[in-house]
Amino acid sequence: MNIRSTLEHTFASLLREADAPVPAAFADELVLLQSGLDSLGFAVLITRLETELGYDPFTLMSEPFYPRTFGELVEVYQRFQPPAA
Amino acid sequence: MISVRQSLARRAAADPLWWTGSGWRTVGSVLATVAERAPALPPGRIAVACADDEALALALLAAEGRCEAVLLVPAAWDQATFDRYRKVAEVEALVTDRADLTGPAVLHWGAGPASGASGAGVPLRETRWILPTSGTTGAPKLVAHTLATLARTTRRDEAKGRELVWGLAYELARFAGWQVFLQALLGGSRLAFVRRGADVAALAAALVAAEVNAFSATPTLWRRMLMAAEAARLRLRVATLGGEIADAGLLRSLAARFPAARLAHVYASTEAGVGFSVTDGHAGFPARFLDAPPAGVALKVDADGTLWLRPGRAAQCFLGDGGELVGAGGWINSGDRVRREGERFRFLGRANGAINVGGNKVYPEEVEDCIRRVRGVRQVGVRARSNPLVGALVEACVLPEPDADRADLKAAIVRSCRATLAAYQVPAVVTWVDGLAVNAAGKLLRP
């Protein structure tokens, strides 16, 4: 599955629910906390992604890492993607 | 306080008293059976564990005035649980019709006629009734009551009572079951044993067969009844809600379905007994109850929004290490959170059931109330979903109506919640379920 497009899709629908503007494209440099999502919104994003993708990298990681940009977020999800069964 | 048997003895022996699936039994028949079988009961501290409701009722009437104390054993207790609590209650004998329970000095007790065994008569005494709390969280505690504390708010107007047939769908081993049982027997009414487990259709059929016109149930059970076709034939004069928050939508639905019924939401617990009854058809309770409590039970709300009750002559107490039932000044902590909105107090939910979203408390009941109003939602239960950033988020488990479009419904639920609730209360996820479970007391089990 395409992790990046799942992230974009879920992020976009959360922004729409919050009546926040959805960026035309999700650039790697997009700063997450300036994207229109607050910390609660970000927490919801992670839970929704867990439902979509089946895993949560933030509970899997041994060293806490908080991505700053959208590109770093995608990279975290790619890094912790479980191997295909 | 007049005993239940003394009260029944004042009725005409040929009058019908109670109904089981096999039909009506007269006052005379019940009293004769009780008189015949009571001597078999040891006069000390007994436990009664009957799966058959009529057998249990007979045992209670037989034990009244004869036994020092009676521990009521709910259907859900297994041997291990029974062993634990019988020690706390210092039980000397087990009276039961269950094959799966054993204990000290087991006496078999069914609904049928007696078989020999007559013990000595004993002088009349005040029997202590030991009931377990039904709490949805934590281990149950044992509360020792007397007939006076159990029947404190029982209505005694026999002229009105004569016209009522009460349906008993609660377990008689629990406080709510006792309230209906005592209201029927002390109030001059008839009683129908209609408990049929999770089978709402069978319950409705029993209510109709027994011509029940007074019924008490949890809001969860009432909602299911309103959906059951068989319940359309019910004509109720009294409809009582208890055990869970009665929301405005349900009260309106009940008033519409049963226009002739006196509608009451009773606020009570095994610990405090009956606190008050709200009969104005609206959710919550009037703020003036704090100054002028209708049932004589004083009420106060502390700084956290927790409701406390003071029953006055609280003869009831916890047994064992249940902790302090009555705090300083005689106040009992209800464990329920309320919020004042103008001249009304609204129930928010159980204090210990709150979901902690980044430090913000969310009561599942409040979110459920909002979601329930969305068209297409048949049932909903809200629970915590753990989250690495904020601790927990809100998850809504929804049973949709069969014809609902799920994508549209999910969007409608989120939109409705965003419009009504704070951001942290809005469900982060909506999960579709095939049904929601209910515990033995008829209360929704949060998934």
Side-chain angles (χ1 to χ4, degrees), chain A residues 28-33 65-73:
Chain A
D28 280 351
E29 305 75 34
L30 172 65
V31 175
L32 293 170
L33 290 174
F65 171 75
Y66 296 103
R68 203 183 53 90
T69 66
F70 188 78
E72 284 173 7
L73 182 66

Side-chain angles (χ1 to χ4, degrees), chain B residues 354-362 384 390-393:
Chain B
I355 301 169
N356 193 332
V357 177
N360 298 296
K361 282 214 172 85
V362 179
V390 293
L393 287 174

Side-chain angles (χ1 to χ4, degrees), chain A residues 17, chain B residues 406-416 432:
Chain A
E17 278 173 28
Chain B
R406 291 188 175 197
D408 285 349
L409 184 55
K410 197 177 275 205
I413 288 170
V414 173
R415 230 175 13 245
S416 177
W432 305 116

Side-chain angles (χ1 to χ4, degrees), chain B residues 113-138:
Chain B
S115 51
S118 62
V122 287
L124 219 51
R125 68 222 292 196
E126 177 77 82
T127 303
R128 281 275 183 294
W129 304 101
I130 304 170
L131 285 92
T133 58
S134 72
T136 39
T137 54

